[in-house]
């Protein structure tokens, strides 16, 4: 695609500025939206108790977001796929199912939270002093869950429909309203913490209305009443596609809940009490979100640049892009770290003037907990970097190792050890857990990154045979899906040779990478990682979905060029509307396939068996993710063939079938 080739030609610095600036602005709007309430509440008569009350409700919001965004982000991802396929029929069902399901989820969650508001706030760390404040704030927020969650889901869909500027305006309009109403409701009308919640809710209503207007005239779909009937097959696809969002949100819930409970427990044993630590952490989290969103915005802007150049094997440009992203984010992190270390009181003062005891803990917390903020930035961007180049396991390690594994472990261990050694000091364990987690996670990810770049240094000189889409005569397009070890690739080559048409299998990955600007690792139906859970999660990520969209475009371009044979890549589904396609599925008994795998790879019997099962499950996951159908369902094919009769005999049967069908 011509528009993508600038990614491999223009200066990296110019490209990074062009792509990253909108990402950073959009993420900062979201960050300020969340921080406004804290600033006004902290400067009111409520003080730190008000900030503690708002912080207590944060884990519950994360849980609500996890369920709703799982469906909503899945719908946005599937809408992107439908747009790439120009599949308006599926697109409107996808949007309608996503909106209807999100609405039902949000209503159920709202009712649960309203009924159990008080016990939930107590469970998540509210003290006697903050319980009523937390309930006053959260009750109003929970009442507007349907508006809040629907607004976020619609915003994702608007971006997926190709209107990111409109999506940003919708969020920004609500944020501006929130900023205007907060001082009016909190100070002028003296509504206190309820005023902050009402201002937030009104802002959400405004964003919801602006977002809803877009759906009257979207770009790639048209909604009718029937669109909003929940399609169970479509819903399954959306949940699968939203899997990565769900995991990320739940990991945030685990970390935030652990923090609140730890702060409440060990704070009560210290001179600071339960409420001061929770209040400080609530502010601290929101402040760091600004730093994190700048770093993540820079990295997200670099995604297409990294993916294109990695796919095009322009490794010098990959290194240059990575270096610029790394230096930019480290610069942001170092500036933030310097502020947190040398003038934390200035930052804390924005959220109100408090007692000497409060300031003592707040200054200590900022200086210790955020002491390695620049390393945290490195950890965050590393996940995006590895996603950009198709390294699934690396990306998952970078996403989860710090927050879910290191921080949880260090917090539990250090708080307990310090409290046993000296009463009242356990609270410092959670402060020390953050920089220690940064050190461990940063070291692990640095090693992975260094090994990766060493590997590409040794392989970048390798040349590939140039491939291109061959223009051929009109005729039958043969798609071949195959079980691992059934010799489907070799049979496909024999069929192509007999019919004298082009053959596409591994060549397709290079074509898609070159044509679309995405790394070849995204272009595969054959993912041989031992963890199928990681595979399923990774298939749901946005960058992987972009690879699927690009691949489908190239498959259709190949089919439009004339008769050919295409192996794998769910090509039978991609070309389902083409009248001249013969869809073949090749299978064989397990014992035959195991022998073939042993011969191909030199595996032992058990290694071959595991290899076979793992690869088949991977292909089934890929097919399900891209088509919504089952890979092994014989109804999806015109011809299903047992290849144990021999490769030549199987190829002859396919050719004979094609000739009989076209006579």
């Amino acid at each position: 695609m011509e528009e993508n080739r600038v990614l491999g030609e223009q200066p990296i610095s110019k490209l990074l500025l062009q792509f990253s600036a909108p990402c950073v602005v959009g993420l900062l709007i979201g960050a300020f939206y969340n921080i406004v309430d804290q600033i006004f509440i902290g400067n009111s008569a409520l003080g730190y108790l008000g900030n503690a009350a708002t912080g207590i409700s944060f884990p519950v919001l994360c849980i609500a977001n996890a369920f709703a965004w799982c469906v909503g982000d899945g719908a946005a991802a599937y809408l992107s796929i439908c747009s790439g396929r120009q599949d308006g029929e599926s697109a409107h069902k996808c949007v309608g199912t996503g909106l209807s399901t999100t609405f039902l989820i949000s209503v159920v969650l709202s009712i649960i939270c309203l009924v159990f508001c008080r016990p939930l706030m107590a469970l998540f760390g509210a003290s006697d002093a903050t319980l009523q404040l937390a309930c006053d704030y959260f009750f109003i927020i929970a009442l507007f869950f349907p508006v809040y969650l629907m607004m976020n889901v619609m915003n994702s869909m608007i971006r997926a429909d190709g209107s990111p500027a409109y999506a940003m305006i919708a969020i920004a309009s609500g944020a501006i309203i929130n900023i205007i109403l907060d001082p009016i409701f909190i100070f002028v009308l003296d509504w206190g913490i309820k005023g902050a919640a009402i201002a937030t809710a009104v802002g959400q209503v405004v964003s919801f209305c602006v977002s809803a207007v877009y759906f009257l005239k979207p770009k790639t779909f048209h909604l009718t009443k029937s669109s909003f009937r929940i399609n169970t097959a479509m819903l399954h696809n959306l949940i699968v596609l939203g899997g990565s969002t769900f995991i990320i949100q739940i990991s945030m819930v685990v970390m935030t809940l652990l923090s609140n409970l730890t702060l409440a427990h060990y704070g009560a044993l210290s001179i600071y009490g339960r409420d001061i630590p929770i209040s400080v952490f609530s502010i601290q989290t929101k402040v760091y979100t600004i730093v994190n969103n700048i770093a993540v915005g820079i990295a997200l802007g670099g995604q297409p640049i990294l993916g294109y150049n990695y796919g095009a094997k322009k490794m010098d440009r990959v290194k240059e892009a990575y270096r610029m992203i790394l230096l930019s984010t480290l610069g942001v992190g170092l500036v933030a770290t310097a502020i947190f270390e040398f003038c934390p009181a200035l930052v804390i003062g924005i959220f109100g003037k408090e007692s000497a005891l409060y300031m003592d803990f707040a200054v200590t917390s900022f200086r210790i907990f955020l002491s390695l903020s620049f390393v945290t930035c490195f950890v965050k961007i590393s996940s995006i970097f590895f996603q950009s180049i198709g390294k699934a396991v690396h990306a998952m390690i970078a996403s989860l190792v710090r927050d879910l594994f290191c921080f949880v472990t260090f917090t539990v261990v250090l708080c307990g050890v310090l409290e046993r050694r000296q009463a009242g000091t356990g609270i410092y364990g959670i402060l020390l857990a953050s920089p220690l987690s940064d050190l461990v996670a940063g070291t692990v990810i640095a090693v992975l990154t260094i090994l990766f770049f060493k590997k590409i240094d040794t392989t970048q000189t390798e040349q590939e045979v140039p491939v291109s889409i061959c223009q051929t005569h009109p005729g039958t397009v043969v798609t071949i899906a195959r079980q691992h070890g059934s010799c489907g690739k070799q049979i496909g080559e024999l069929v192509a040779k007999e019919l004298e048409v082009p053959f596409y299998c591994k060549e397709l990955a290079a074509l898609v990478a070159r044509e679309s600007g995405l790394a070849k690792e995204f272009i595969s139906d054959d993912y041989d990682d031992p963890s199928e859970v990681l595979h399923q999660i990774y298939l749901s990520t946005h960058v992987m979905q972009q690879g699927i969209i690009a691949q489908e475009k190239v498959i259709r371009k190949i089919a439009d060029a004339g008769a050919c044979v295409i192996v794998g890549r769910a090509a039978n589904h991609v070309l389902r509307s083409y009248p001249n396609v013969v869809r073949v599925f090749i299978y064989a008994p397990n014992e035959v396939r195991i022998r073939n795998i042993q011969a191909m790879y030199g595996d032992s019997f058990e290694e071959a068996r595991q290899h076979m099962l793992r690869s088949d499950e991977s292909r089934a996951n890929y097919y399900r993710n891209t088509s919504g159908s089952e890979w092994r369902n014989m109804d999806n094919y015109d011809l299903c063939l047992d290849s144990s009769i021999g490769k030549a005999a199987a190829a002859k049967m396919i050719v004979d079938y094609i000739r009989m069908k076209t006579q």
Side-chain angles (χ1 to χ4, degrees), residues 29 33 166-180 202-211:
I29 290 173
Y33 203 138
Y166 191 99
M168 188 172 71
I169 290 169
I171 292 293
S173 60
I176 292 168
I177 293 297
N178 188 22
I179 292 170
I180 293 171
V202 172
Q204 290 168 359
V205 170
V206 170
S207 291
F208 171 84
C209 292
V210 175
S211 299

Side-chain angles (χ1 to χ4, degrees), residues 285-575:
T285 301
K286 301 292 176 62
V287 169
Y288 183 72
T289 298
I290 296 173
V291 181
N292 179 72
N293 284 6
I294 295 173
V296 168
I298 294 169
L300 285 174
Q303 251 188 1
I305 305 167
L306 290 163
Y308 180 91
N309 288 285
Y310 186 73
K313 286 192 173 296
K314 296 184 177 182
M315 298 307 173
D316 289 340
R317 287 178 65 82
V318 172
K319 291 178 184 176
E320 184 184 354
Y322 175 77
R323 184 166 56 250
M324 285 189 176
I325 292 168
L326 179 64
L327 291 176
S328 300
T329 53
L330 285 181
V332 170
L334 285 169
V335 170
T337 302
I339 293 172
F340 299 149
E341 290 300 312
F342 298 112
C343 45
L346 289 177
V347 179
I348 299 160
I350 296 172
F351 298 86
K353 304 299 180 183
E354 297 294 345
S355 66
L357 189 63
Y358 177 94
M359 292 302 294
D360 177 64
F361 182 79
V363 168
T364 302
S365 181
F366 267 70
R367 283 178 172 164
I368 298 176
F369 194 87
L370 300 177
S371 60
L372 293 180
S373 294
F374 62 96
V375 180
T376 314
C377 289
F378 166 66
V379 171
K380 297 296 182 184
I381 69 151
S382 294
S383 175
I384 298 169
F385 167 68
F386 285 123
Q387 278 192 21
S388 303
I389 57 172
K391 301 297 180 184
V393 176
H394 292 56
M396 286 300 157
I397 290 173
S399 293
L400 301 177
V401 66
R402 182 199 182 274
D403 293 343
L404 199 58
F405 300 129
C406 292
F407 183 76
V408 169
T409 303
F410 284 135
T411 296
V412 172
V413 172
L414 289 173
C415 288
V417 169
L418 290 176
E419 188 64 31
R420 283 193 295 272
R421 291 188 64 181
Q422 184 177 344
T425 61
I427 191 69
Y428 297 109
I430 192 170
L431 305 186
L432 293 168
S434 178
L436 283 175
S437 299
D438 284 327
L439 283 175
V440 174
T443 302
V444 170
I445 294 167
V447 169
L448 290 176
T449 306
I450 291 168
L451 291 175
F452 166 75
F453 279 112
K454 281 187 176 180
K455 184 177 179 181
I456 66 171
D457 282 338
T458 61
T459 59
Q460 66 177 319
T461 56
E462 296 175 6
Q463 298 295 317
E464 289 190 346
V465 178
V467 292
S468 60
I469 295 175
C470 300
Q471 291 292 329
T472 183
H473 57 80
T476 302
V477 175
V478 183
T479 67
I480 296 179
R482 78 284 188 214
Q483 289 183 326
H484 186 50
S486 65
C487 298
K489 178 177 179 291
Q490 296 93 320
I491 292 169
E493 287 176 310
L494 292 173
V495 171
K497 184 176 180 181
E498 178 65 24
L499 296 176
E500 298 181 339
V501 298
F503 173 78
Y504 301 94
C505 185
K506 298 298 183 185
E507 298 85 355
L508 188 60
L511 275 172
V512 177
R514 193 189 67 193
E515 293 286 320
S516 70
L518 290 163
K520 284 200 302 181
E521 280 75 1
F522 302 138
I523 321 300
S524 178
D525 61 348
D526 207 359
Y527 182 99
D528 197 29
D529 188 85
S531 171
E532 291 300 334
V533 174
L534 283 181
H535 180 211
Q536 190 64 26
I537 294 170
Y538 192 62
L539 278 175
S540 71
T541 59
H542 175 72
V543 69
M544 193 66 182
Q545 294 306 315
Q546 294 305 306
I548 291 169
I549 293 167
Q551 180 171 270
E552 291 186 352
K553 289 181 179 178
V554 172
I555 288 173
R556 284 192 292 271
K557 194 172 180 180
I558 289 170
D560 291 338
C564 61
V565 175
I566 305 173
V567 173
R569 275 71 181 186
N572 66 303
H573 175 77
V574 176
L575 302 177

Side-chain angles (χ1 to χ4, degrees), residues 37-38 41 49-58 134 137 193 282 286:
D37 280 357
Q38 304 257 218
I41 289 172
L49 290 176
N51 277 329
T54 61
I56 288 161
S57 66
F58 184 66
Y137 182 82
I193 200 164
S282 177
K286 301 292 176 62

